[in-house]
Amino acid sequence: MNRELTMNDLVIAGIAVAAGLLAAFLLRMLLRWLGKHADRTRWTGDEVIVDALRTVVPWAAVVGGAAAAGAALPLTRTVQRNVNQGLTVLLILVVTIAAARMVAGLIRTVTQSRSGVAGSATIFVNITRVVVLAIGCLVVLQTLGISIAPLLTALGVGGLAVALALQDTLANLFAGIHILASKTVQPGDYIRLSSGEEGYVTDINWRQTTIRNLSNNLVIIPNGQLAGTNMTNYNRPEQDLTILVQAGVAYDSDLEHVERVTLEVISEVMTEITGAVPDHEPAVRFHTFGDSRIGFTIILGVGEFSDQFRIKHEFIKRLHRRYREEGIRIPAPTRTVAIQQSGTPLPDAVIPAPRPSTHDHEIS
């Protein structure tokens, strides 16, 4: 335009800017009200969406008001084009950042709801955030009139060199994606590796998996090593598991009585102790005629891996007390050795046998 700037132009531009600011304020208040209602729902994804809209919508109103003000002013064609281009770029950047936050938040919500205990799989969150931001940057370049075809070609050629230089990093990246896609390990699972490391999986990111062991220390394992090792997952296919407790009674015990008393103690523990599985069918299995006792295995059900220590502790205490009340004897291991010197027989000596070195939980 070649006409001079007048007071009416400034008034109209001011009204447009004020209208944009007022609309931004009202829309922000509306979204804040929606956010309070979203907090009351069970699904947390609506909170993420409302939070993203709270960033985009007010800025869109402000940009719209500024664009209307620019159209009302007698600007030259070049200045008008630059103003519109700048406002468009600003709006694209705001939408891109909000979209990256929203998509990352939704993926984090999904991973947390599936894992159930703790942590989020940040590998998917980070990948999606980077992808959305990269797409937004390409759109900005295209809006500014910069051709992105040479840039994509350069990135393709440079990507080959980067891939060769970062083989280990990329191996860990794709190993982490494979682990999560195959659902062999999820955040919150309790795992044990063949190398001895064990604990709860707290996070799987683009390079490594973080495990928190029972002593509350963190163990960092590269994804490639985790994917290539033998592993036991105590949460798959289901979280409930059974544990074995070894015990033994004297040969003169009434085994029917022993079994009945043991089952009563099992039922008591399964009902009263936190972490036990009340619906688990109790079981006592006699299996060995030992040197000084009849050995049997007690099968207990626990709801989660770390619960077994508390349940074993309470069960052994209660079973020992109940055996004493019922007169059931748990003999100590003994061995009879006959010693003869110079052809003269001597009385037999009863020597306590050494306790076996085992990791089984044995009541003795």
Side-chain angles (χ1 to χ4, degrees):
M1 295 182 182
N2 296 325
R3 66 183 180 84
E4 296 293 332
L5 181 65
T6 63
M7 183 60 66
N8 291 333
D9 296 332
L10 293 177
V11 171
I12 295 174
I15 292 175
V17 172
L21 294 175
L22 179 61
F25 175 77
L26 295 177
L27 289 172
R28 189 169 182 84
M29 296 297 294
L30 176 62
L31 291 172
R32 181 177 299 177
W33 178 78
L34 291 176
K36 293 180 179 179
H37 284 272
D39 293 337
R40 302 173 186 174
T41 61
R42 298 179 59 185
W43 185 51
T44 57
D46 52 1
E47 301 175 18
V48 177
I49 296 175
V50 172
D51 184 64
L53 292 177
R54 192 180 299 174
T55 303
V56 174
V57 174
W59 275 103
V62 173
V63 170
L73 296 175
L75 303 177
T76 62
R77 183 175 301 176
T78 302
V79 174
Q80 184 71 44
R81 185 177 65 252
N82 292 335
V83 170
N84 292 337
Q85 193 177 61
L87 294 176
T88 303
V89 169
L90 176 62
L91 185 59
I92 292 174
L93 290 176
V94 172
V95 171
T96 300
I97 295 174
R101 291 173 55 187
M102 182 179 67
V103 175
L106 291 176
I107 293 179
R108 184 180 293 109
T109 300
V110 172
T111 55
Q112 287 177 344
S113 63
R114 293 180 60 185
S115 61
V117 179
S120 63
T122 57
I123 181 172
F124 287 149
V125 175
N126 293 334
I127 288 176
T128 52
R129 183 184 289 115
V130 170
V131 170
V132 174
L133 292 176
I135 293 175
C137 291
L138 293 178
V139 174
V140 168
L141 293 177
Q142 192 69 29
T143 303
L144 293 176
I146 302 174
S147 178
I148 62 176
L151 178 62
L152 294 177
T153 303
L155 290 176
V157 175
L160 295 177
V162 172
L164 292 176
L166 301 176
Q167 293 184 26
D168 294 339
T169 301
L170 293 177
N172 289 325
L173 172 62
F174 289 107
I177 296 175
H178 170 72
I179 290 172
L180 290 175
S182 61
K183 300 180 181 180
T184 55
V185 177
Q186 294 290 318
D189 292 350
Y190 191 95
I191 63 174
R192 176 181 294 165
L193 306 183
S194 59
S195 55
E197 295 88 354
E198 63 178 277
Y200 291 97
V201 178
T202 59
D203 186 43
I204 303 175
N205 59 31
W206 62 275
R207 182 183 179 275
Q208 62 200 18
T209 298
T210 304
I211 296 177
R212 178 177 56 84
N213 55 28
L214 295 179
S215 59
N216 209 29
N217 296 320
L218 296 181
V219 181
I220 310 300
I221 303 174
N223 292 332
Q225 179 181 343
L226 181 65
T229 188
N230 295 331
M231 175 181 59
T232 302
N233 191 334
Y234 291 94
N235 289 70
R236 308 287 170 174
E238 57 185 18
Q239 190 172 3
D240 295 347
L241 68 151
T242 58
I243 57 175
L244 306 179
V245 179
Q246 305 297 329
V249 294
Y251 274 92
D252 57 358
S253 302
D254 182 356
L255 298 186
E256 294 291 340
H257 183 215
V258 171
E259 182 176 10
R260 182 174 65 256
V261 171
T262 305
L263 290 175
E264 292 176 359
V265 176
I266 294 176
S267 178
E268 176 185 332
V269 171
M270 292 295 100
T271 304
E272 298 178 2
I273 304 302
T274 304
V277 182
D279 298 335
H280 179 76
E281 183 179 357
V284 176
R285 297 292 181 263
F286 296 96
H287 55 73
T288 304
F289 288 102
D291 292 339
S292 59
R293 65 178 66 188
I294 296 178
F296 59 95
T297 300
I298 304 157
I299 304 175
L300 305 174
V302 298
E304 200 267 334
F305 184 85
S306 61
D307 294 331
Q308 62 176 307
F309 306 104
R310 178 175 60 256
I311 293 173
K312 287 179 181 178
H313 170 77
E314 290 294 333
F315 174 75
I316 291 176
K317 287 198 308 181
R318 299 189 184 198
L319 186 65
H320 184 263
R321 181 174 64 248
R322 184 67 184 278
Y323 276 5
R324 286 194 301 176
E325 295 173 355
E326 298 290 337
I328 300 174
R329 189 165 59 90
I330 306 175
T334 58
R335 181 175 301 146
T336 301
V337 180
I339 303 176
Q340 183 177 4
Q341 293 180 347
S342 302
T344 303
L346 296 176
D348 294 340
V350 178
I351 302 175
R355 295 184 178 274
S357 175
T358 175
H359 295 289
D360 293 336
H361 296 264
E362 183 172 352
I363 302 174
S364 61

